[in-house]
Amino acid sequence: MGVKLIEPSRLVLARKRAGLTASALARLVDVTPQSIHNYEAGRQSPTEDTLIRIAGALMLPESFFRLGPVSDITADEVSFRARTKMASRVRGMAICSAQLAVEVRDYVLSTFKVPSVDVPYIEQDMEPALAADYVRSRWGLDRDAPAPNMVHLLESKGVAVFSLPPLGEHLDAFAFWRNDEPFVLLNLQKSAERGRFDAAHELGHLVLHRDTTRLNGRDVEREANEFASSFLIPATGIKRRMRSNTTLDRILQEKSYWRVAAMAMAYRLHALGLLSDWSYRNNVIALGRLGYRTGEPAGMERERSLLFQKVFAASSRGVAIKKMSSETGLPLGVLGELTFSVEPTTVPSLGVTSPSAERIDEVSSVWPRPKLKAVGH
């Protein structure tokens, strides 16, 4: 006799997240593939012993499978890059991370007050560079200065930013809208500088491609790349600092100033006419010899979530993350994968009102008036 019915969509999510076919999972838990199909279709409920084996094989607690339905997110709604190179299994695993991110975000929204969404919706066609300049102006960013921490900036504008588990070289990052809420998921396996570009690239998708029917268009990725380059290295700012056909040393100085990858810096200078074709080609070759084609030697520190630091600092001794784990049915390791591996330790000067309503000093000017406080206490 079956136990209380599990939520079929949760079994589908958990299996795909593990990268398993129904037949592979059936072998692991010693049932028939048809039984797995029946569980996932809601036609049959597993026994207590079978559910225990399923939970163990998929490394999730039994309670996870008894929660409500998960959000239905399709690949067509997501700004995947290199779609043709990405295996369908990897694409499915990435979608599962997005679904879990929605679960965590729902918990955060039910418990804390976070910044409201301020991501402009550009309905008419606008050149990516102009759109980037518009967003910078709207957000009060100095055109002559580098963008601040991109994860902090997006969070301060109401974007739900999460990290991804290692899912392969063809998955950099992706973004999507869920109702009126923007999400960005970033691959932490890339360099910190590449992570900043990925965040700006996904912001470009959120601003330029909210109409998901355009996400499969030929020019979509080019537009997002152009938006990211313009957002991170504004033309007016770089032209004030640079002359044409600059040296390799100056390229490296500027890449550190603007906090971007060296190759991205060279590309931007070439696109703006500040490097000739000949100089660009030679500098790219030189950068490749120095290791900048595959990484960023002596690069910057990775940008991570401020919001989750604040959430987990809202109570002592890890109570907040343990409660989140209990409410979402997600083990601490899975939550760590999604939240930039933020440790639930006390973080000073975070501008969060704890459940006991004790005020902590507000955060730096990057997030001038943080709106994160516990609600319902």
Side-chain angles (χ1 to χ4, degrees):
M1 196 174 167
V3 297
K4 176 185 176 183
L5 286 175
I6 64 170
E7 169 52 48
S9 64
R10 290 187 171 271
L11 178 54
V12 175
L13 183 156
R15 176 178 61 76
K16 289 185 175 181
R17 175 182 172 273
L20 296 174
T21 63
S23 295
L25 178 58
R27 288 193 297 270
L28 287 174
V29 300
D30 195 25
V31 298
T32 66
Q34 187 58 50
S35 292
I36 298 297
H37 287 302
N38 287 340
Y39 302 156
E40 293 184 349
R43 292 189 295 263
Q44 183 182 348
S45 184
T47 65
E48 183 78 46
D49 288 343
T50 301
L51 179 57
I52 291 172
R53 293 197 301 273
I54 288 173
L58 300 178
M59 294 188 288
L60 291 167
E62 297 158 49
S63 60
F64 174 83
F65 300 93
R66 294 193 176 104
L67 296 173
V70 296
S71 294
D72 183 22
I73 300 172
T74 67
D76 291 337
E77 301 174 68
V78 172
S79 61
F80 282 132
R81 281 175 260 177
R83 287 174 181 261
T84 58
K85 297 180 180 178
M86 190 185 305
S88 59
R89 180 179 65 87
V90 173
R91 188 162 53 246
M93 295 169 74
I95 291 294
C96 291
S97 290
Q99 291 173 298
L100 294 182
V102 168
E103 301 263 301
V104 174
R105 183 66 171 184
D106 284 346
Y107 170 80
V108 170
L109 293 178
S110 72
T111 311
F112 296 92
K113 182 179 179 182
V114 302
S116 58
V117 176
D118 182 17
V119 177
Y121 177 27
I122 297 177
E123 298 185 54
Q124 72 280 10
D125 287 339
M126 181 182 287
E127 286 298 314
L130 183 59
D133 187 60
Y134 168 72
V135 176
R136 264 188 163 262
S137 176
R138 174 172 172 148
W139 289 355
L141 302 182
D142 186 347
R143 293 180 182 178
D144 294 336
N149 182 308
M150 284 300 298
V151 178
H152 295 181
L153 177 65
L154 292 181
E155 289 180 329
S156 75
K157 302 304 177 183
V159 180
V161 187
F162 290 84
S163 52
L164 284 162
L167 292 177
E169 62 177 325
H170 297 307
L171 180 60
D172 293 315
F174 61 90
F176 62 95
W177 285 89
R178 182 209 181 207
N179 300 324
D180 292 322
E181 188 169 23
F183 283 76
V184 167
L185 282 84
L186 300 173
N187 184 346
L188 301 188
Q189 306 307 302
K190 307 294 182 179
S191 69
E193 290 84 353
R194 179 64 178 273
R196 276 174 61 81
F197 190 91
D198 285 345
H201 178 103
E202 300 310 326
L203 173 61
H205 280 307
L206 293 174
V207 170
L208 298 170
H209 308 134
R210 188 165 180 176
D211 178 2
T212 56
T213 60
R214 294 192 59 203
L215 283 177
N216 290 314
R218 184 173 59 182
D219 296 329
V220 165
E221 293 307 315
R222 176 192 60 79
E223 291 172 355
N225 280 335
E226 187 178 338
F227 178 97
S229 291
S230 300
F231 189 87
L232 294 176
I233 314 169
T236 53
I238 190 63
K239 286 180 177 178
R240 284 195 178 99
R241 294 176 55 86
M242 300 288 289
R243 296 179 179 178
S244 60
N245 292 332
T246 189
T247 64
L248 178 64
D249 285 344
R250 188 59 192 276
I251 291 174
L252 293 177
Q253 289 175 9
E254 290 302 307
K255 90 103 182 176
S256 295
Y257 175 77
W258 296 100
R259 289 182 275 172
V260 297
M263 290 291 187
M265 189 74 244
Y267 178 88
R268 180 65 168 154
L269 293 173
H270 181 238
L272 292 173
L274 299 176
L275 278 182
S276 67
D277 292 346
W278 180 87
S279 183
Y280 173 67
R281 183 167 54 251
N282 285 342
N283 277 296
V284 165
I285 292 171
L287 289 170
R289 288 172 178 164
L290 293 173
Y292 286 98
R293 186 173 295 280
T294 56
E296 294 298 314
M300 59 179 283
E301 184 178 352
R302 172 162 294 284
E303 297 176 345
R304 298 178 184 273
S305 170
L306 177 61
L307 185 142
F308 284 112
Q309 281 184 305
K310 294 162 71 177
V311 165
F312 297 149
S315 60
S316 61
R317 300 179 183 176
V319 172
I321 191 171
K322 289 176 182 176
K323 184 179 180 185
M324 183 186 294
S325 175
S326 175
E327 294 287 330
T328 61
L330 297 176
L332 297 184
V334 176
L335 288 176
E337 284 183 347
L338 291 168
T339 60
F340 298 81
S341 298
V342 172
E343 296 294 332
T345 53
T346 301
V347 183
S349 301
L350 289 175
V352 58
T353 303
S354 71
S356 60
E358 294 177 0
R359 188 181 184 281
I360 302 175
D361 292 339
E362 74 178 37
V363 78
S364 69
S365 59
V366 172
W367 196 335
R369 295 293 299 176
K371 300 176 182 178
L372 178 63
K373 61 182 180 180
V375 296
H377 292 273

